[in-house]
Structure formats: C-alpha cells, structure tokens
Amino acid sequence: MIERIKLKNFRSIQGLDLELKSLNVLIGRNGSGKSNFLSFFHLLGEGARGRLNRTIVNELRGFEFLRFLNADTWENISWDVTFSSDPVSSRYEPLFYEGELSPRGVAGYNIQSEIISRPPYPDKHHLGPYKYLEVRDGTVTKLKARPNEDSESREDEVAKFEGLDQELAVAEIRNPTRYPSIDEVYRRLREWTVFRGFGERELSQVRGPQTLNVVNPLQLDPDGSNLVSILYELTNQPQYEEIYNRLNEIIQAVFEDFSKFDLPLVAGAQASLSFRSRNFKKSIPALFMSDGQLRFLGLIVLLLLPSPPKLLLIDEPEIGMHPKMITIFAEVLKSAAQRTQIIVSTHSPQLIDALSPDDLLVVDRENGATVINRPDQERLARWLERYSTGYLWTNTTLLER
C-alpha cells in the first residue's frame, strides 16, 4: 500500500502530509480539491507510461496551471510517497519515491529531481537512505541495483539515461532483473488510473461490439473498451466461476429481471454485450440498458477482478445510481478493500452511511488551499448515537475541522 503521501504546490494543494489506509473515502464540497488530489495519481500514472509531458501540456493545460496558484516563482511541485514492502519482490521496507518539478521558461517545466530509496541498512554503515535511483536536472547521478552494491554507479549504465528532464526515469529504466526496486515503483505507478465512470463516449463503446482482447491479469480499462472481453473470460473460463457467480448474484439483486449475461460472437473476433431476462425469450442487448446499469456493471466488475491493481482510484461512483445500487456497491467496495488499496471520492450520503467513519477523509479549503483530514472520531462517536454519518455530513459541520 501507500502508507503516506506528502505533496506540495500541486494545483489547489499547497502542502499535504497524509497517512492512507486500505479504504480511503474523500468527502467534501464541490471545489474543495478532491479531484485535484486524484489528478496527482493520474499524472504519475501517465508519467510511468512515458506520457508525462503530453499529460501536463495537452491535458492539464501546462505547468503554470499545474502548480499551486499562490506559489512563489521559486517554489516547485514536489511529492514524497512511502510504499509498504512488496512481499513478492522486496526484502526490505518501506520504499520511498520522491520527485520535484520546477518551472522552466514561461510555461515549461523541468524534472529537477527523482529519487527511489529505502531506509539505511545498519549492517552496511549507511548514514542516510540507500538510494537506488537519483536523477538531478535530467542527469542520472546514482543508479544501483541492490543494497549490497556499494560501488558507485556504472558509467556505461548511467550513460544510457541522459536527458531525463521531461519524462520520468522510472518510465525509461525498465529492467526488473537488474533494477528490481526501480521496477517495483514503475509497476505500481503504471497501474494508477482514475475511474470516473462511463461517460457518453465510453457508454457508446460498451453498447457496441468489442474486439475480444484478453490480457492477463484481467484489468478493466477506464473507458470500458475491454469490458466485453473481461465478461467473456469470466463467463467461459472455469477458474473464474466463483467470481462470475458472485457477479451474477450482485446484478440480479439490483436488476430484478436479470438472469445471466449473453455475449454473442459477431464477425471479426468481436462480441457484444446483452443479457437474458426472466421476462422475455430473446436476449436484451446493451443498447437497451440504462446508463446507470452499465456504469454499475463496470464498477462491480472493476472491484471483483481477481488480480486488482495495488491501488484503485474511483471518482464519484454514485453518478446515475439508484440508492439501492449504492448500498450494494458499498458492500462490494469494502470487500475489495481487503484485497487492495482504494481511494474513492463521493458526494453520496447513502454511500457515506454504508461505510465506516474511520474510512472517511474530509476535504476542505483553508485560505484557498486544499486540506485533507480525518474526522475527530471521539467527537463524532457521540453524535453517531443519534444520527447517521451521511446526515451529519449533509446537515452539520461536525465532520469538518
């Protein structure tokens, strides 16, 4: 998991130092900064895919709109993420990933630093964190494989990675055998994708035929372009029988006439989404499913997949959902949080009511800057004897500090 994140001068966030749990639910007024917080994860996720510059320039409107508007000209955007250890690939914990973006010219930026490190090893007489990677102003100054590699970085290795001032080094140095700790950060970051529900374009893709393109492990694309492929695998592969049955149970609980999925093959290795109804002989195509039904289906599939990303980011899942859907979604959400880390933002009192107050993070503005805090649990407990969490959120300021 991400144990802790520090973030400075990113959009509306001037300074943030936040510990995260397995399930983290962001609540706050419109404009408080929930989406800005999620955008940071989106930015680094795109950066790990080699698309940092394109995301900053084309999608986020440039560095001047990415940096906190009240920042001084010399202040940079910086982050410090603490990961817990990965028992599969790591022997030591935790793992630190730091970075800093500085302004360059009128609207440009420069990756001033990027560092991957672990705590010092007493048996090696290290005085400070052991650095696997250090990049300064586009130049790799340190590149090491393992803690027992005490010699300086090999010049022939470092020379391969010059000019890293616009893209993240973790996107370029991809050698899991030689640099396992760097690869570990790369693998975690590249899974950071924010699911914002299916919009109009995504819904049209889900309603039409999709080319069957199976990836292993099964992971849902945010635009739903491989939803039919995933459903086809869940329907036809014996190893997914338990997940498929659970999916059917959930959909049946929400859509009373639903019987099972029907995924007929069409030309060109494509399949389309439809479902069997208890009331009709013929299958009903996704073309006649409501937007809310399809969004709910996508979210449930996302949360049920057997090998989820190490971090799931979901923005306002309640859009288009009936209150009954939200209650069931909350139960699936809590179950998924036992297998992976989740950050979700919401405005839904029903969703807040269905979750534990311990999972809430209240997002607010102080002097224009976003602040994120957990509610005072002792103070809150007294009020929860009489009122629900959702009621307190919508009718009082008790969840705010």
Side-chain angles (χ1 to χ4, degrees):
M1 297 197 313
I2 297 175
E3 294 181 350
R4 188 172 189 172
I5 179 170
K6 298 178 182 179
L7 187 57
K8 290 184 179 181
N9 294 320
F10 181 80
R11 290 198 149 182
S12 63
I13 300 171
Q14 184 177 22
L16 176 69
D17 186 349
L18 184 65
E19 292 183 358
L20 295 178
K21 300 172 22 177
S22 181
L23 179 57
N24 308 271
V25 182
L26 303 169
I27 61 174
R29 296 182 178 91
N30 290 328
S32 59
K34 301 184 301 296
S35 294
N36 287 339
F37 184 58
L38 293 179
S39 289
F40 167 74
F41 297 93
H42 170 69
L43 176 66
L44 288 197
E46 289 297 290
R49 301 178 190 98
R51 301 196 288 256
L52 184 71
N53 184 261
R54 186 173 76 180
T55 303
I56 291 176
V57 174
N58 297 338
E59 184 178 339
L60 301 177
R61 299 182 60 197
F63 185 82
E64 69 270 32
F65 293 105
L66 195 66
R67 189 172 60 162
F68 182 64
L69 292 177
N70 235 11
D72 290 327
T73 55
W74 51 269
E75 290 185 293
N76 299 332
I77 296 173
S78 66
W79 65 86
D80 187 347
V81 180
T82 302
F83 294 106
S84 59
S85 64
D86 184 341
V88 175
S89 61
S90 304
R91 293 174 50 204
Y92 307 96
E93 59 179 9
L95 181 63
F96 307 118
Y97 179 53
E98 305 168 54
E100 197 168 2
L101 304 180
S102 60
R104 181 169 68 181
V106 177
Y109 73 94
N110 178 63
I111 300 177
Q112 184 165 315
S113 68
E114 187 177 1
I115 300 170
I116 295 174
S117 63
R118 292 193 187 275
Y121 300 94
D123 58 326
K124 294 293 181 181
H125 308 292
H126 296 147
L127 299 178
Y130 185 90
K131 294 180 181 179
Y132 295 90
L133 169 71
E134 183 174 32
V135 181
R136 298 288 182 184
D137 294 321
T139 300
V140 176
T141 60
K142 197 177 294 288
L143 182 62
K144 295 186 178 182
R146 294 173 178 84
N148 58 4
E149 187 180 85
D150 288 327
S151 60
E152 284 304 311
S153 309
R154 290 169 48 186
E155 291 185 4
D156 59 331
E157 287 285 312
V158 172
K160 298 177 185 177
F161 307 109
E162 293 300 316
L164 295 174
D165 60 346
Q166 295 287 293
E167 298 295 340
L168 297 179
V170 293
E172 305 293 331
I173 306 173
R174 286 152 53 179
N175 188 332
T177 303
R178 174 69 176 152
Y179 305 112
S181 292
I182 299 174
D183 183 71
E184 184 177 331
V185 172
Y186 162 74
R187 286 185 294 105
R188 294 185 187 217
L189 264 59
R190 73 186 302 272
E191 292 183 339
W192 289 1
T193 303
V194 181
F195 291 84
R196 291 190 166 89
F198 299 151
E200 186 175 338
R201 182 179 65 85
E202 290 82 3
L203 287 169
S204 65
Q205 287 193 123
V206 173
R207 288 189 169 105
Q210 293 184 0
T211 301
L212 295 178
N213 183 20
V214 179
V215 295
N216 190 21
L218 298 180
Q219 291 195 358
L220 179 66
D221 291 335
D223 62 0
S225 59
N226 67 339
L227 176 62
V228 174
S229 291
I230 289 177
L231 290 172
Y232 193 85
E233 287 295 295
L234 297 180
T235 304
N236 292 287
Q237 296 300 326
Q239 67 265 35
Y240 301 130
E241 182 179 2
E242 184 177 346
I243 296 173
Y244 177 72
N245 291 337
R246 177 63 176 146
L247 176 62
N248 273 320
E249 289 174 3
I250 294 169
I251 301 303
Q252 287 170 2
V254 174
F255 313 138
E256 295 180 356
D257 63 336
F258 176 87
S259 175
K260 66 176 183 178
F261 290 104
D262 197 5
L263 303 161
L265 293 172
V266 296
Q270 291 187 323
S272 59
L273 171 61
S274 60
F275 69 94
R276 294 280 182 178
S277 168
R278 294 190 177 97
N279 299 320
F280 300 98
K281 294 180 180 179
K282 293 183 179 181
S283 293
I284 300 175
L287 183 65
F288 296 101
M289 296 177 71
S290 73
D291 294 356
Q293 287 177 316
L294 291 174
R295 289 191 179 107
F296 180 80
L297 172 61
L299 287 167
I300 297 301
V301 168
L302 173 70
L303 295 173
L304 288 182
L305 290 180
S307 300
K310 289 184 174 61
L311 176 66
L312 283 176
L313 302 143
I314 307 173
D315 193 12
E316 297 187 20
E318 69 272 10
I319 294 176
M321 279 195 197
H322 185 274
K324 183 179 180 180
M325 289 184 186
I326 294 175
T327 302
I328 293 175
F329 169 78
E331 294 304 312
V332 181
L333 185 71
K334 289 186 286 188
S335 178
Q338 298 176 18
R339 299 183 295 118
T340 190
Q341 189 174 29
I342 301 175
I343 301 175
V344 56
S345 73
T346 183
H347 289 284
S348 169
Q350 290 91 353
L351 182 55
I352 295 171
D353 277 342
L355 300 173
S356 169
D358 293 342
D359 299 325
L360 300 180
L361 288 167
V362 181
V363 186
D364 207 347
R365 290 280 189 121
E366 292 182 1
N367 300 319
T370 294
V371 293
I372 305 178
N373 293 299
R374 295 194 183 276
D376 185 328
Q377 297 299 324
E378 288 187 12
R379 181 184 178 212
L380 187 59
R382 297 192 299 270
W383 288 92
L384 289 177
E385 294 175 0
R386 299 172 59 190
Y387 303 101
S388 71
T389 315
Y391 177 87
L392 294 175
W393 166 240
T394 53
N395 293 281
T396 75
T397 60
L398 288 172
L399 297 186
E400 302 173 11
R401 289 190 177 185

